[in-house]
Amino acid sequence: HIAFVHVALDKVLPASMAGEPDRLRRFEQEARAAGQLNHPNVLVLYDVGTHEGAPYLVTELLQGETLRELLSRERFSWRKAAALSVQVARGLSAAHERGIVHRDLKPANLFLNRDGRVKILDFGLAKLVEPDAPGSRDATETGVFAGTPGYAAPEQVRGAVADQRADIFALGAVLYEMATGRKAFSGASQ
């Protein structure tokens, strides 16, 4: 008995960029982080490889749209916003239990499948830290900002070490945006 699974060639790093150490490191980091997770609210990674010098990721095929796309045309009820946030929180909890901090949670990295299930995408900025260890170090250079302004926790914007609480902060900003129709934080600078 053979079962077929629909997959997506999710990311391909062009061979010309594969020689750039920082881009290749982020690509490999995403593969390692996503590959450690098996949760209904996290994008499933099936394969990682290289073809003719171009690294690629093969993931489950998603049908639906990003939360960013939905928010551009729809305001959510409080109930819908809360229900979607619970799914994101469950996916984050699974990542945090494995010591993975996403560090770039935002509406563009959340996907709503046609069946109503939320999937967390893009672990390109993820860091592996000691689970539940306050002050755990990650590999981020001190003083370097990683994340998206408006969703990143204050410690990320300052370039300090970010732990699981940074993802919770970002989830709060996303929930606020779903419930009110506007970003929690906006301004001319980070």
Side-chain angles (χ1 to χ4, degrees):
H1 180 43
I2 297 174
F4 291 96
V5 176
H6 293 278
V7 299
L9 189 55
D10 186 42
K11 285 193 178 181
V12 176
L13 188 61
S16 62
M17 292 181 185
E20 297 177 28
D22 188 51
R23 286 189 190 251
L24 186 57
R25 179 188 54 76
R26 283 186 56 198
F27 191 86
E28 291 170 344
Q29 180 174 290
E30 178 172 7
R32 278 193 305 276
Q36 290 183 38
L37 299 172
N38 181 12
H39 190 275
N41 297 115
V42 176
L43 182 69
V44 176
L45 176 67
Y46 289 119
D47 190 25
V48 179
T50 303
H51 179 71
E52 296 179 1
Y56 64 84
L57 301 177
V58 177
T59 65
E60 69 181 302
L61 178 64
L62 299 178
Q63 296 183 356
E65 58 191 325
T66 66
L67 185 58
R68 170 58 54 227
E69 293 165 329
L70 279 168
L71 288 172
S72 71
R73 66 173 194 284
E74 179 181 336
R75 182 152 174 221
F76 295 168
S77 69
W78 175 249
R79 283 181 193 256
K80 183 173 181 176
L84 295 175
S85 294
V86 166
Q87 291 186 56
V88 176
R90 288 181 178 145
L92 285 176
S93 178
H96 294 167
E97 286 173 10
R98 301 289 306 218
I100 298 168
V101 179
H102 189 282
R103 297 193 321 163
D104 198 23
L105 193 71
K106 58 187 176 184
N109 287 340
L110 298 171
F111 194 92
L112 186 61
N113 264 335
R114 288 182 187 162
D115 67 2
R117 180 171 293 165
V118 175
K119 293 282 189 168
I120 300 172
L121 312 175
D122 196 351
F123 282 79
L125 293 180
K127 287 293 177 183
L128 183 62
V129 297
E130 296 281 328
D132 301 322
S136 292
R137 304 265 334 144
D138 63 23
T140 303
E141 252 181 87
T142 303
V144 176
F145 171 62
T148 300
Y151 301 96
E155 61 272 20
Q156 284 178 274
V157 176
R158 288 191 304 266
V161 175
D163 61 18
Q164 293 88 342
R165 294 170 289 187
D167 287 345
I168 296 167
F169 181 93
L171 177 55
V174 171
L175 174 58
Y176 180 89
E177 188 170 345
M178 284 191 288
T180 65
R182 63 182 189 275
K183 293 182 178 180
F185 306 100
S186 61
S189 70
Q190 293 179 6

